[in-house]
Structures are given as structure tokens and as C-alpha cells.
Amino acid sequence: LVQALLLFFQEAVQEFYPNNILETKCQEVGLGINTISLILQTWEQIKPNIVTMLLSKTTSSCKLVDMDWSFGVTAASDDCNNVGKTYLQLKLVLQDSNNSVERK
């Protein structure tokens, strides 16, 4: 049950659910009105702290070490609508807090 609640609230934070969507989701899983009211009150109190915590983890987790880019025009494709379209390709080299390097 605790794991399910954590996943539920993780989705709520990621999607930044407003209260009406959160209330609808709670109703969909069959929660009672008193439980929903308590969840909404608690959510309003803790949401700023959760968002701040998630943002701090996101922004400080990786360091950009190198970046390469290329710009081009699609010359051939199996989809005619894509021929002649421009694109931008980024190649990123990131370093995490453990100093391991990842290329994306």
C-alpha cells in the first residue's frame, strides 16, 4: 500500500496535478470523501517542499562536460513528409556525482 501511494504521489508531482485532477484520481481508486479531503489538504501543505526537493536532485545530479552539435536537412526518408525537414542533433557528455561519464 505504501509503495502504491508513493508511486501515486510521484506521478502527481511529475505531472504537477492541480487539486481537481488529484481529487478525480482519488475518486477513481474508490477513496471516500473524508480521505480525499485529508489528502488534498496534506498535498497543498507538502507540494512545495516535494517540488523543491525533486528540482534540487534533478539540477545537481549531472554536470555537462562536453557537447557537440550538428545541423542538417533530411535528404531521404520512408516518410515523404520528412524529406527536406531540418534537424538539430546534440551529443552530450555528462558527468554524475560519482564522476562516471555518460554520453547521450
Side-chain angles (χ1 to χ4, degrees):
L1 179 64
V2 173
Q3 185 68 24
L5 284 172
L6 288 174
L7 289 172
F8 177 78
F9 283 111
Q10 182 179 9
E11 178 184 344
V13 168
Q14 288 173 345
E15 300 297 325
F16 207 71
Y17 286 158
N19 278 358
N20 62 334
I21 299 295
L22 189 60
E23 182 177 6
T24 301
K25 296 278 185 184
C26 289
Q27 289 170 349
E28 288 173 359
V29 296
L31 297 176
I33 190 71
N34 292 336
T35 305
I36 293 172
S37 177
L38 180 62
I39 287 173
L40 292 176
Q41 288 173 353
T42 305
W43 180 244
E44 279 303 307
Q45 292 172 359
I46 65 171
K47 184 168 52 173
N49 294 335
I50 292 173
V51 170
T52 301
M53 179 191 65
L54 289 175
L55 284 175
S56 69
K57 285 185 176 184
T58 302
T59 56
S60 66
S61 63
C62 291
K63 176 182 173 185
L64 181 63
V65 177
D66 192 21
M67 179 179 80
D68 188 22
W69 64 275
S70 64
F71 175 78
V73 178
T74 306
S77 173
D78 59 349
D79 182 4
C80 292
N81 292 331
N82 287 329
V83 174
K85 300 268 176 131
T86 58
Y87 66 88
L88 176 65
Q89 180 182 24
L90 295 175
K91 295 178 184 176
L92 305 176
V93 179
L94 304 172
Q95 183 178 31
D96 66 12
S97 59
N98 297 326
N99 290 329
S100 63
V101 174
E102 182 178 349
R103 300 180 192 287
K104 293 193 176 229

